[in-house]
Amino acid sequence: LSLEEASTMSDANAKINAVKAAQKFFSDDKERGFEAKMMDESVRLLTFQQQLEKDVDGKVLVFGQSVDATIHTCLVNGMTKKAEKVRSDFKVPDKRFWYIKLRALTTIRDFDGLDAF
Amino acid sequence: MSEGVSSLEESPSDQQVDLSILSELGKNALVNSLNSVNGAKTLVLDPSLAGPLGLLTEVSLLKHHGVDKMFWLEAGPLSVTTTNIVYLCRPNIKLIKTIADQVKRLTQDSQKHTFMLMLVPRTSTLVSRILEEEGVLGDITVSSFSLQLIPLEDDVISLENDNAFKEIWVDGDETAVYDSAQALITFQKLYGLFPRILGKGDAASRLTGLLTRLLPQASTSDVPETLMAPSEKLDSLIILDRRVDMLTPLLTQLTYEGLIDELIGIRNTYVELPSSLLNQSTTAGPSAPPSTAANTSTAPAAVLAKEKKKKHRLTASTDKLFAELRDLNFSSVGKRLNRTARELDEESKHGKLQAKTVAQLRDFVGKLGGLQSLRLHTGVSEMIVPLTRTDNFNRALEIQQNLLSSYDPSAQITAIEDLMAQGADLQIVIRLLCLASLTNGGIKAKTLEGLKRDILQSYGYDRLPLLLSLSSPSLSLIVPNPIPPSFPPSVAASKIPWSSVRKALRLVADDEAGNDDSPQDISYVYSGYAPLSVRLVQCVAQKGGVLSNSATGDGRKNGKSSNPSELQVRAHPIIGWRGFEDVLASLPGDTIDVQQKGLRGNNVNGPSADATKMILQDRTSTTVVFFLGGCTYTEIAALRWVGRQSRGEKFLIATTSIISGEGIINSISGGSKGPPSKEATL
């Protein structure tokens, strides 16, 4: 279990590897099916974030954020499609997604968007 | 509250246990170990020890004993001018490595340095092994400084070991239990043997085992008189294991002191407040001459601009108003403040006219001191009120109350989900979730998985270790229901049959009658919930209070005109858990009941006979309640209330540290506050 302590690393690739190692560790144990799945998701999120940062040339920092925070950042920066992608990839429940969207739209003062609700 | 304090002050002979001996002991130990190093020295402190030490000594005292400079123990090089360097730290692997690093660096500089390492509370072989591995064991003298129970208030003593809870139940590290045993033995050396030890919980039973085993060892070398016979002042020790009552710390505390701890944070009795609140109060006063009034108008502006946090020590011994306020339910704090303000106002008007003699004048000035603390507490309340008005705070409170009364559990889970979706603090969500799991004997496996997933997605996947340790068998704060067969049987055994326990011990009061200035039951501290831990203490010390409050309550209402002391229940001798065996058996953990007779063995009648005798003589006896794993300010408040209900009985609260639900969650999630998370912007 000490493996995921390593996942606090700052370097992007090292972090992904550390999480992968943790994932493997969990999948060895049948009782830890849930944890393994979660770690798997975590790896996917991290790679997605890495890709995203590359796409926008590091203008937006999302690496290491949680799923919700990632959606939030995407929305704030006008990347609605990306946000929708995260939402479907990680099966974020509607209720939570709308709350995030609500907050995101308020931060960028997109009142037209708010109206459109 | 005022009643309890004044009775203490009025009759010092009645105050059985003088705690100042304890702090003297700690201070002397420190001074002695400092004096063992000759010449000027640099003291390097483990930051986590600064608070506890501050309660024992002052910087001036340290300077007096040759301390030249003081540093925090931090990674990186250390620049020192003195030849002697004294490290003072807890045996923590990371800290020791830092020390070894610094020692290596300094010895390379070819300067002559003498190193001394003082470990709190004692040395361990692990430390010397690390030092050996680092190759510096020869350069350093290792000794120990035993920091033991420190008095925080006149009825609260603490080991101030914030990590005790985590160490025992998350890491499975039992040093905290051993240290507690050592501290309690020291306590018995000073005040005499506990005639009877009662307790609940597995760790508590290990502590009791250690106590009874270590005692003969301790007394073979030098036999203090006090260890020979049961104490006459103390009637028993009640050890409560935090694991037995996890519910209480998870709830939001609602007493004044508890809320300050929840929302602002109290560390080692110090609270950080905006300095404007503290400075202003010293200059302003109703009778201040115009010249200073002009000054104050400019000064606060400057202070406010900086808004630097300043530490203020909260203690009842210097602040009488705080003594009154600290244990009140927050809802009645405002009323009390208002009343005090009006009293002071009247007195000052009165005083201006009549303050003619010097004595009257002095009296009047003394009252102004009261005004300062009034200002302070009004200010603090003002800080707290907006925080208690937030949506999340109130919703969390509502969920807590509903869960406690087992009202529609599944709806509460949905409510928790809502809170999460709205970006509530992780800490609040986790606390509610643990609470839901505890009161319902687990959460349905599928729902639980969904919730865990939500948490990880909203707060980051790096929270997985926290969830894992929360559901680990040793804590089992979050468990699926029904429990899968793969889990060890201990998990199933640790479930609390909540609804039956709740009924048997009357944990949830039906009416909120206690929620005013004159509470009738301890449930006032949580606005309707009586802390399980304190109820257990009542099971031992005040059986009537557990069974009904109506008897005493009605009696009070009807007989207000008659002598109040007649109405107070006479404290009955400590007779163990009798009457509550069934309830106790349903709670997890061992039940302990040990009698200590002392080595002389001339106590033919046994301690209970002693206790009876004591009651007949109308003397006050003290029951020491030791919380292994920490207790909350609210529990202290409740115990004080219990103590006030019966004559001839006082409680002394001992704990490993003072905790809050937030503190517990934080310590489990990794001690350090973790990386400054970006979600904070959410």
Side-chain angles (χ1 to χ4, degrees), chain B residues 25 29 38 41 48 78 129 139-140 158 174 197 211 236 246 290 347 388 397 445 460 513 519 564 570 604 632 661 680:
Chain B
L25 198 74
N38 288 322
K41 52 207 150 246
S48 77
L78 182 76
R129 193 168 318 148
D139 302 323
I140 200 163
S158 165
E174 302 263 305
I197 302 177
L211 271 180
S236 67
M246 278 313 299
E347 271 167 17
T388 57
L397 215 57
R570 193 75 197 87
V604 197
T632 62

Side-chain angles (χ1 to χ4, degrees), chain B residues 422-475:
Chain B
Q422 287 163 37
D425 247 15
L426 171 71
Q427 184 255 119
I428 295 177
V429 175
I430 295 277
R431 275 165 78 169
L432 289 172
L433 205 56
C434 294
L435 202 62
S437 170
L438 281 172
T439 49
N440 297 318
I443 300 170
K444 278 199 197 84
K446 216 170 170 194
T447 330
L448 182 64
E449 198 153 301
L451 279 168
K452 277 187 182 170
R453 200 188 146 93
D454 281 350
I455 290 176
L456 292 178
Q457 288 193 345
S458 326
Y459 302 102
Y461 290 99
D462 45 345
R463 304 305 165 123
L464 188 62
L466 168 65
L467 289 182
L468 278 174
S469 33
L470 282 175
S471 44
S472 69
S474 58
L475 270 177

Side-chain angles (χ1 to χ4, degrees), chain A residues 1 4 26 31-32 34-35 37-39 41-42 45 63 65-69 72 90-93 95-96 99 103, chain B residues 414 417-418 420-423 449 452-462 464-465 468 486-487 678-679 681-682:
Chain A
L1 292 182
E4 69 254 1
F26 278 127
E31 296 301 322
R32 297 278 179 221
F34 171 75
E35 282 79 5
K37 221 165 68 200
M38 286 294 108
M39 282 297 110
E41 271 192 17
S42 172
L45 178 69
F63 193 78
Q65 282 185 344
S66 68
V67 175
D68 285 15
H72 184 84
F90 293 92
K91 301 193 193 74
V92 176
K95 192 162 64 182
R96 226 171 66 220
Y99 269 117
R103 274 199 302 271
Chain B
T414 325
E417 273 172 14
D418 282 354
M420 214 177 338
Q422 287 163 37
E449 198 153 301
K452 277 187 182 170
R453 200 188 146 93
D454 281 350
I455 290 176
L456 292 178
Q457 288 193 345
S458 326
Y459 302 102
Y461 290 99
D462 45 345
L464 188 62
L468 278 174
S486 59
F487 275 54
K678 284 173 193 160
E679 302 102 81
T681 55
L682 244 178

Side-chain angles (χ1 to χ4, degrees), chain B residues 119-251:
Chain B
L119 289 165
V120 178
R122 61 205 164 77
T123 55
S124 72
T125 44
L126 181 70
V127 169
S128 29
R129 193 168 318 148
I130 295 173
L131 290 174
E132 207 179 327
E133 272 171 26
E134 300 280 334
V136 291
L137 186 60
D139 302 323
I140 200 163
T141 326
V142 183
S143 70
S144 65
F145 164 54
S146 77
L147 182 72
Q148 295 187 328
L149 291 162
I150 307 169
L152 299 183
E153 291 284 349
D154 50 20
D155 55 355
V156 184
I157 50 181
S158 165
L159 285 172
E160 292 296 272
N161 182 0
D162 291 338
N163 290 324
F165 178 78
K166 183 191 176 236
E167 278 171 16
I168 300 174
W169 284 284
V170 182
D171 305 342
D173 179 351
E174 302 263 305
T175 38
V177 178
Y178 185 81
D179 293 343
S180 307
Q182 288 290 357
L184 283 172
I185 285 173
T186 313
F187 188 87
Q188 293 188 84
K189 272 185 192 157
L190 292 172
Y191 303 108
L193 217 56
F194 297 114
R196 191 158 186 169
I197 302 177
L198 294 147
K200 179 76 194 162
D202 290 336
S205 103
R206 285 194 291 273
L207 175 58
T208 318
L210 274 174
L211 271 180
T212 42
R213 233 175 323 122
L214 288 172
L215 208 55
Q217 285 174 20
S219 49
T220 43
S221 46
D222 55 316
V223 193
E225 274 293 285
T226 43
L227 275 184
M228 299 295 278
S231 162
E232 298 204 329
K233 287 172 178 171
L234 307 167
D235 60 5
S236 67
L237 167 71
I238 303 175
I239 305 174
L240 286 177
D241 187 325
R242 187 73 274 174
R243 182 72 194 78
V244 170
D245 176 17
M246 278 313 299
L247 289 165
T248 308
L250 290 170
L251 297 166

Side-chain angles (χ1 to χ4, degrees), chain B residues 307-324:
Chain B
E307 198 70 335
K308 227 174 80 187
K309 298 270 177 167
K310 199 173 166 185
K311 281 187 173 173
H312 176 71
R313 179 165 185 191
L314 282 177
T315 164
S317 53
T318 52
D319 187 344
K320 278 199 187 132
L321 182 60
F322 181 61
E324 270 182 50

